[in-house]
C-alpha cells in the first residue's frame, strides 16, 4: 500500500507500527518465566528487573515501594523500600471460612497486617518483601487459591453479582463466572514452577497457549456477570459483561455487552473512559464460548503498538461496533441473537441482614474503602477472624469493597452480632459513606498523583455535613475517588467522581447515573478541598430545592445542564 493510502487507512497505519516494548517482553518470556526465578534469588536488592516487573503482573503481583519513605531514604542514599503487592484470583469473590483464616494469617505473617478488598471482588496484600514472596504464595496455594492472572495483559478476576446464596439465578451466575475464569486461565505452569515447588515443567519446553498465544492480550481484560435489578458489578465499566435473564426463577441466558473501560490519561484526548455496548444475547450454556470469542477478537485485532490505546473499547472504536459483532459471530458455532431488555435499579450494596427461603442468614458488612484492619476501637480484622473461627459460614467479597458473611444459621446470627459489637464494629453509617469507594493510591501505587483511600473518609465527613444541612442526609449518592485517571474505583460512573490530578488536587466529574449505566462528565479541573466543597455545596443546595420527585443527583445535574 502506498504511503498516501496508508495515511487514509488508520488500520494500515496501526499495522505498520512497531510493537510496544511489552510485546517484546512477552514474546521472549518463555511463557511468563523470564528471569523471575533468578530475580527472586538475588538478595542484593528488594527489586527485580524492569522486564520481570512486567511479567510478574501475570502472576498477580506488582513491585511497589513506600512513597512516603522515598525522600528520607534518598537523603540517606538508600534504595527505595521495595515490596510486592499480591492480588488473588477469586472468581465471584467467594471464600470458605478456612480459606479466609489462611489469608488472615498470611496478612500478619508475610504482609503489612491488613487485607485490602478490591473493586474486583478479591483480596490484595501489601508489603510483601521479596524474601517472603515464595512463602506467601505457598500459603496461598495450600489454601487452594492462587494469584494467577490477577494482573497483566490477560483476563483478570471474573466478577459476579454478590452472594450466590440469594437465589438459584445468583448461584447460576456464580457458576458462569467460575467457568469463564477457569476456561480463560493461561496454560503456563510458570506460577507453580517459580513460586511453589521450584521444579521445571517436564521436558523444559514452554506450554502452548491455545487461547492467548505467545504474547497474550494487548492489555488487561475484565469480565463480569450481573443479575438485574442489581448492577453491583458495574456491568458497563468492563471489557465484557453478561447480564442475566431469568424466567420462572431460572437463569436462561445473558444479554452481552462489550467495550467498557475506565482508564484514561490526563491531557491525552486519544484516551477516555467508555461504557460497554450491547452486542447480542446468548443462552446461558453459550457464555463461555462467547467469552472466548470476544477475547480472541481482542487478541487478534487489539492495538499492540500503543498501550494507551490497547483496550477493547478502542478496538471497537477504531473498527466499529458492527464489524466487532460480525467478527465475534464468525467465531461462534451459533451466532448471538438480538440483545434482550433488562432493568437495573442501582449499583451499590444493601448493607445489613437478609434471609433466604432456606432459613439461612447473610450479613452485608460495610468495609470503608475495603481495608480490613484493626484501628483503635474498630477491630474489624479481629472480629472477622473470630467469626471465621466460630461459625461455619462463607465469606463473599462484593464489587463495592464490602464483605458478606453468608450462609449463617439461626444460632450463628446472634453470635456474629455479639462478636461484632464486642470488637467495636458497629454499623449505621451514612448512606453517602456506604456508597463511596476509593482506590489505594498513595503511598504504594506508583501511578498515584494524589491521595485516595487515606483521604476520602475525611472528605466524606465534610460532604455528610453539607448533605445534612440541606435536608439530604438520607439521599443515596454514589461517590468515587481515584488517585489518578486510570479509574480503578470506577469514578467515571459515579454521580460525584474525584480523580487525582496533583497532590491535594482533583478533577471533579458529575452526572453518572445512579444505576451505573451512564458516564459522568468532567465539570471542573484541578480543585483543592476548599474549592471542591464550595462547588459541591452550591450544587447540593440547588439539588435540594429544585430536584424532581425521586430524582437522583446525577440525573439532576444532567437535566439542568450543569454538565
Amino acid at each position: 500500500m502506498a504511503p498516501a493510502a496508508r495515511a487514509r487507512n488508520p488500520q494500515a497505519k496501526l499495522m505498520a507500527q512497531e510493537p510496544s516494548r511489552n510485546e517484546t517482553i512477552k514474546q521472549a518470556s518463555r511463557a511468563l518465566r523470564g528471569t523471575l526465578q533468578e530475580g527472586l534469588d538475588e538478595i542484593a536488592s528488594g527489586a527485580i528487573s524492569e522486564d520481570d516487573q512486567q511479567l510478574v503482573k501475570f502472576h498477580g503481583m506488582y513491585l511497589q515501594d513506600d512513597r512516603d519513605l522515598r525522600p528520607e531514604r534518598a537523603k540517606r542514599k538508600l534504595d527505595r523500600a521495595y515490596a510486592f503487592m499480591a492480588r488473588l484470583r477469586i472468581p465471584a469473590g467467594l471464600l470458605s471460612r478456612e480459606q479466609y483464616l489462611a489469608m488472615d494469617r498470611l496478612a500478619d505473617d508475610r504482609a503489612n497486617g491488613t487485607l485490602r478488598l478490591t473493586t474486583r471482588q478479591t483480596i490484595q496484600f501489601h508489603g510483601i518483601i521479596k524474601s517472603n514472596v515464595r512463602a506467601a504464595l505457598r500459603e496461598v496455594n495450600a489454601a487452594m487459591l492462587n494469584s494467577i492472572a490477577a494482573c497483566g495483559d490477560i483476563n483478570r478476576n471474573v466478577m459476579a453479582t454478590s452472594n450466590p446464596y440469594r437465589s438459584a439465578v445468583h448461584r447460576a451466575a456464580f457458576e458462569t463466572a467460575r467457568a469463564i475464569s477457569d476456561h480463560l486461565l493461561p496454560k503456563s505452569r510458570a506460577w507453580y514452577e517459580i513460586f511453589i515447588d521450584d521444579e521445571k515443567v517436564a521436558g523444559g519446553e514452554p506450554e502452548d497457549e491455545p487461547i492467548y498465544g505467545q504474547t497474550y492480550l494487548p492489555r488487561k481484560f475484565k469480565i463480569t456477570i450481573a443479575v438485574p435489578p442489581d448492577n453491583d458489578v458495574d456491568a458497563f465499566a468492563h471489557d465484557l459483561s453478561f447480564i442475566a435473564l431469568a424466567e420462572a426463577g431460572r437463569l436462561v441466558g445473558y444479554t452481552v455487552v462489550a467495550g467498557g473501560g475506565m482508564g484514561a490519561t490526563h491531557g491525552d484526548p486519544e484516551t477516555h473512559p467508555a461504557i460497554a455496548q450491547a452486542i447480542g444475547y446468548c443462552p446461558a450454556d453459550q457464555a463461555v464460548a462467547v467469552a472466548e470469542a470476544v477475547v480472541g477478537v481482542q487478541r487478534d485485532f487489539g492495538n499492540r503498538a500503543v498501550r494507551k490505546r490497547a483496550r477493547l473499547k478502542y478496538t471497537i472504536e477504531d473498527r466499529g461496533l458492527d464489524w466487532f459483532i460480525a467478527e465475534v459471530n464468525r467465531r461462534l458455532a451459533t451466532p448471538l441473537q438480538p440483545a434482550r431488555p433488562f432493568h437495573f435499579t442501582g449499583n451499590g450494596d444493601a448493607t445489613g441482614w437478609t434471609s433466604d427461603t432456606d432459613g439461612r442468614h447473610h450479613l452485608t458488612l460495610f468495609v470503608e474503602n475495603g481495608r480490613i484492619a484493626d484501628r483503635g476501637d474498630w477491630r474489624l480484622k479481629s472480629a472477622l477472624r473470630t467469626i471465621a473461627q466460630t461459625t461455619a459460614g462463607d465469606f463473599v467479597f462484593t464489587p463495592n469493597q464490602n464483605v458478606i458473611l453468608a450462609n449463617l444459621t439461626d444460632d450463628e446470627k446472634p453470635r456474629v452480632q455479639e462478636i461484632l459489637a464486642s470488637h467495636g464494629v458497629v454499623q449505621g453509617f451514612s448512606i453517602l459513606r456506604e456508597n463511596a469507594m476509593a482506590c489505594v493510591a498513595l503511598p504504594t501505587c506508583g501511578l498515584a498523583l494524589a491521595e485516595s483511600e487515606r483521604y476520602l473518609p475525611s472528605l466524606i465527613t465534610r460532604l455528610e455535613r453539607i448533605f445534612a444541612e440541606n435536608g439530604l442526609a438520607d439521599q443515596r449518592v454514589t461517590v468515587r475517588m481515584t488517585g489518578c485517571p486510570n479509574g480503578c474505583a470506577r469514578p467515571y460512573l459515579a454521580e460525584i467522581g474525584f480523580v487525582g490530578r496533583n497532590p491535594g488536587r482533583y478533577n471533579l466529574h458529575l452526572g453518572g447515573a445512579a444505576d451505573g449505566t451512564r458516564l459522568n462528565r468532567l465539570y471542573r479541573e484541578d480543585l483543592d478541598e476548599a474549592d471542591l466543597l464550595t462547588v459541591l455545596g452550591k450544587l447540593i443546595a440547588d439539588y435540594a430545592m429544585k430536584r424532581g420527585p425521586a430524582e437522583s443527583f446525577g440525573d439532576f445535574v444532567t437535566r439542568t445542564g450543569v454538565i
Side-chain angles (χ1 to χ4, degrees):
M1 183 180 292
R6 198 163 48 235
R8 293 192 299 270
N9 186 335
Q11 294 311 314
K13 181 179 179 181
L14 176 61
M15 293 172 65
Q17 291 180 289
E18 291 291 325
S20 70
R21 171 64 177 156
N22 289 66
E23 296 302 308
T24 304
I25 294 170
K26 289 181 285 185
Q27 179 77 39
S29 71
R30 298 178 301 116
L32 307 178
R33 289 167 175 81
T35 57
L36 280 167
Q37 191 101 338
E38 297 82 355
L40 289 174
D41 291 336
E42 172 58 58
I43 62 173
S45 170
I48 54 177
S49 72
E50 289 187 15
D51 285 3
D52 285 342
Q53 287 178 40
Q54 297 302 318
L55 293 179
V56 82
K57 296 176 185 178
F58 289 82
H59 303 297
M61 286 171 282
Y62 282 80
L63 179 68
Q64 301 179 329
D65 75 285
D66 190 327
R67 293 172 62 180
D68 287 348
L69 301 179
R70 279 185 189 177
E72 179 60 26
R73 292 183 71 85
K75 189 183 302 181
R76 297 168 59 192
K77 302 188 184 308
L78 296 174
D79 203 358
R80 291 180 176 180
Y82 288 112
F84 287 83
M85 181 276 283
R87 182 183 296 153
L88 302 187
R89 183 176 61 88
I90 311 174
L94 176 65
L95 287 187
S96 69
R97 68 183 187 91
E98 293 85 2
Q99 289 174 320
Y100 181 82
L101 285 170
M103 297 305 97
D104 177 82
R105 289 192 298 270
L106 189 156
D108 290 339
D109 296 343
R110 307 293 182 186
N112 70 354
T114 72
L115 300 95
R116 182 50 152 73
L117 306 185
T118 79
T119 57
R120 294 202 61 77
Q121 285 189 292
T122 187
I123 296 171
Q124 62 188 38
F125 301 94
H126 293 267
I128 303 176
I129 60 175
K130 188 164 75 171
S131 60
N132 272 338
V133 166
R134 284 195 178 102
L137 292 186
R138 285 169 182 157
E139 291 180 26
V140 168
N141 183 63
M144 305 294 289
L145 296 167
N146 63 64
S147 63
I148 300 169
C151 317
D153 300 346
I154 203 161
N155 178 59
R156 299 190 177 184
N157 196 53
V158 179
M159 299 164 65
T161 196
S162 300
N163 197 357
Y165 298 108
R166 285 177 60 185
S167 72
V169 175
H170 288 81
R171 188 70 190 188
F174 166 82
E175 297 296 346
T176 298
R178 280 205 164 173
I180 292 173
S181 178
D182 290 345
H183 186 71
L184 296 181
L185 269 181
K187 302 304 181 186
S188 172
R189 297 282 297 175
W191 187 83
Y192 295 96
E193 176 185 314
I194 297 167
F195 302 105
I196 306 305
D197 54 24
D198 295 317
E199 294 181 4
K200 299 291 185 185
V201 173
E205 294 298 323
E207 302 85 346
D208 180 44
E209 291 283 8
I211 294 178
Y212 293 113
Q214 290 183 316
T215 51
Y216 298 86
L217 296 180
R219 282 295 297 274
K220 59 189 173 184
F221 198 92
K222 298 179 177 180
I223 298 177
T224 75
I225 320 292
V227 179
D230 298 321
N231 187 24
D232 50 351
V233 298
D234 276 329
F236 296 93
H238 309 282
D239 296 276
L240 177 64
S241 289
F242 295 86
I243 301 171
L245 175 69
E247 293 178 357
R250 183 177 65 90
L251 177 66
V252 295
Y254 296 102
T255 285
V256 185
V257 299
M262 293 288 96
T265 301
H266 287 315
D268 185 350
E270 291 296 306
T271 68
H272 53 80
I275 58 172
Q277 303 174 74
I279 64 170
Y281 169 88
C282 71
D285 60 5
Q286 195 186 5
V288 172
V290 172
E292 181 178 340
V294 172
V295 165
V297 174
Q298 174 63 355
R299 175 200 62 213
D300 295 343
F301 295 98
N303 190 328
R304 291 185 182 268
V306 182
R307 285 184 64 79
K308 289 181 179 180
R309 292 279 301 179
R311 293 292 296 277
L312 179 63
K313 60 183 177 180
Y314 300 122
T315 306
I316 294 174
E317 180 179 284
D318 290 341
R319 293 178 178 266
L321 185 64
D322 290 342
W323 171 90
F324 176 74
I325 294 171
E327 186 61 30
V328 170
N329 283 332
R330 188 180 68 80
R331 296 163 189 252
L332 293 171
T334 304
L336 294 169
Q337 302 170 32
R340 301 189 185 183
F342 53 84
H343 175 66
F344 288 128
T345 57
N347 61 349
D349 292 339
T351 58
W353 287 98
T354 59
S355 301
D356 60 33
T357 55
D358 294 327
R360 292 284 175 152
H361 307 288
H362 318 284
L363 173 62
T364 301
L365 194 63
F366 172 64
V367 182
E368 189 159 41
N369 298 326
R371 184 69 66 174
I372 296 178
D374 287 347
R375 290 174 175 160
D377 294 334
W378 176 268
R379 294 181 294 129
L380 177 62
K381 186 169 181 293
S382 295
L384 293 180
R385 181 193 310 124
T386 303
I387 290 168
Q389 290 169 336
T390 57
T391 70
D394 293 325
F395 285 67
V396 185
F397 307 128
T398 81
N400 288 290
Q401 301 176 305
N402 298 318
V403 61
I404 300 173
L405 305 175
N407 216 20
L408 299 167
T409 65
D410 288 339
D411 292 337
E412 289 171 332
K413 179 177 177 180
R415 192 182 315 156
V416 166
Q417 292 172 314
E418 180 183 349
I419 292 169
L420 292 172
S422 66
H423 286 78
V425 182
V426 180
Q427 295 294 277
F429 295 96
S430 73
I431 198 166
L432 185 71
R433 191 174 298 272
E434 288 190 346
N435 280 273
M437 192 159 64
C439 71
V440 173
L442 296 169
T444 52
C445 179
L447 300 175
L449 304 171
E451 294 280 3
S452 186
E453 179 187 340
R454 297 195 296 191
Y455 171 53
L456 184 58
S458 64
L459 182 61
I460 290 295
T461 298
R462 291 166 174 79
L463 289 174
E464 284 172 333
R465 296 193 191 108
I466 294 173
F467 274 90
E469 289 167 358
N470 286 278
L472 298 170
D474 296 327
Q475 181 64 41
R476 180 183 294 272
V477 178
T478 56
V479 179
R480 309 265 179 87
M481 174 178 281
T482 57
C484 81
N486 285 292
C488 292
R490 304 189 284 275
Y492 306 112
L493 288 176
E495 294 176 89
I496 301 174
F498 304 104
V499 178
R501 184 66 185 257
N502 290 294
R505 307 186 75 90
Y506 300 83
N507 286 355
L508 175 61
H509 293 250
L510 299 174
D515 62 358
T517 58
R518 179 181 66 233
L519 288 174
N520 56 31
R521 296 174 62 186
L522 177 62
Y523 180 63
R524 294 284 189 274
E525 293 185 86
D526 208 25
L527 303 181
D528 62 13
E529 182 180 281
D531 292 334
L532 287 171
L533 294 176
T534 298
V535 169
L536 286 171
K538 293 177 181 177
L539 291 172
I540 292 166
D542 283 346
Y543 173 58
M545 291 186 294
K546 303 174 185 177
R547 61 180 173 152
E551 186 174 32
S552 70
F553 181 77
D555 287 350
F556 171 79
V557 297
T558 301
R559 175 180 64 81
T560 57
V562 172
I563 52 97

